[in-house]
Amino acid sequence: MSDTPAQAPSDRTRVVRYNWLARYDRQTVEAILDATPLAHVGCMMNGVPFVTPTFFWREGDRVYWHGSTAGRMFKALESQDICLTVSLLDGLVLARSAYNFNCNFRSVMVVGRARLISDAEEKREKLRTFVNGLIPGQWERLRPAHDKEITATAIAWLPLDEASCKLRSGPPEDNDEDYAFPAWAGVIPIRYQVLPPEADPRNTAGIEMPADVSRFTLG
């Protein structure tokens, strides 16, 4: 399949350290990206590297994120290549030696040149996709966005052309001679827990929570 390359899409996305944990197929990339709305975007600003946490969403072969038009990151994006990362911690791996302690995880790195969206209606539609991606139908239940809010919002996107994954699962991997050492080894699984929604005490009387709010999941 053309969208599931066996090799890294570029030299800079090729995993070198622990390369047997690497995956480059689009299906795995998308599955990890779709498991969480939180990413980190790294770029240089005034000669200093900054990594900014941000909500993001995927549409097809692009990832999008938003912020303030006054934010320094959005002023620097289009002049350089950047890196967007997503990480999910799935377990703490306790080995028989400190050297072999590890973690089970899923991660994605995407590199490339981001682009900004300037058209107001396109920004409005992208924000609608973002909100409804979190809670289906929520955009339509909200107070309509003011034009000045759309103007104040910056949206950037990055293609998934250069993306790589790294994943680990399973038990500890100890040195052969250490398996007889009398220390407990194993995995502490980690799962993301979404608790029951808590209503704003200032909600209008009689407003009921949409059923889709309780269906929000992560992981």
Side-chain angles (χ1 to χ4, degrees):
M1 296 176 61
S2 59
D3 63 343
T4 56
Q7 303 297 322
S10 66
D11 286 342
R12 60 184 180 178
T13 56
R14 181 175 293 107
V15 176
V16 178
R17 182 70 170 165
Y18 298 110
N19 56 32
W20 57 89
L21 301 178
R23 292 281 296 276
Y24 303 107
D25 63 283
R26 181 59 57 81
Q27 182 178 7
T28 304
V29 170
E30 293 180 355
I32 297 172
L33 294 175
D34 294 346
T36 177
L38 180 64
H40 289 78
V41 177
C43 64
M44 297 290 293
M45 289 182 273
N46 297 322
V48 179
F50 282 84
V51 179
T52 305
T54 182
F55 263 9
F56 85 102
W57 66 101
R58 182 182 67 85
E59 295 184 46
D61 58 359
R62 296 178 178 180
V63 287
Y64 294 81
W65 64 100
H66 76 285
S68 170
T69 54
R72 54 185 173 180
M73 176 179 68
F74 289 94
K75 296 177 181 178
L77 283 181
E78 291 189 301
S79 64
Q80 61 183 287
D81 283 2
I82 66 167
C83 180
L84 180 144
T85 65
V86 169
S87 300
L88 296 164
L89 180 62
D90 294 324
L92 181 62
V93 181
L94 308 178
R96 294 164 181 83
S97 67
Y99 182 79
N100 286 320
F101 266 48
N102 213 324
C103 64
N104 288 336
F105 67 95
R106 291 164 286 161
S107 65
V108 170
M109 295 182 67
V110 186
V111 298
R113 186 66 57 95
R115 292 291 180 261
L116 295 175
I117 295 176
S118 58
D119 180 76
E121 288 309 308
E122 185 178 2
K123 287 201 289 184
R124 192 182 301 269
E125 183 60 29
K126 294 305 178 186
L127 291 172
R128 176 181 179 274
T129 300
F130 166 59
V131 171
N132 284 346
L134 294 172
I135 309 293
Q138 189 70 0
W139 179 268
E140 288 70 27
R141 289 186 285 264
L142 301 177
R143 184 264 290 158
H146 296 316
D147 290 343
K148 65 180 181 180
E149 294 172 334
I150 300 299
T151 300
T153 301
I155 299 179
W157 64 270
L158 186 66
L160 295 177
D161 296 339
E162 291 186 83
S164 63
C165 302
K166 204 172 181 181
L167 307 89
R168 189 197 189 278
S169 61
E173 296 178 359
D174 275 300
N175 299 339
D176 288 343
E177 62 273 18
D178 289 339
Y179 280 96
F181 191 85
W184 187 92
V187 176
I188 302 174
I190 296 173
R191 300 292 180 264
Y192 294 89
Q193 181 183 16
V194 178
L195 301 176
E198 299 176 358
D200 185 341
R202 295 185 64 179
N203 277 344
T204 303
I207 292 292
E208 295 185 1
M209 183 185 73
D212 283 316
V213 172
S214 64
R215 300 189 183 110
F216 177 78
T217 60
L218 285 174

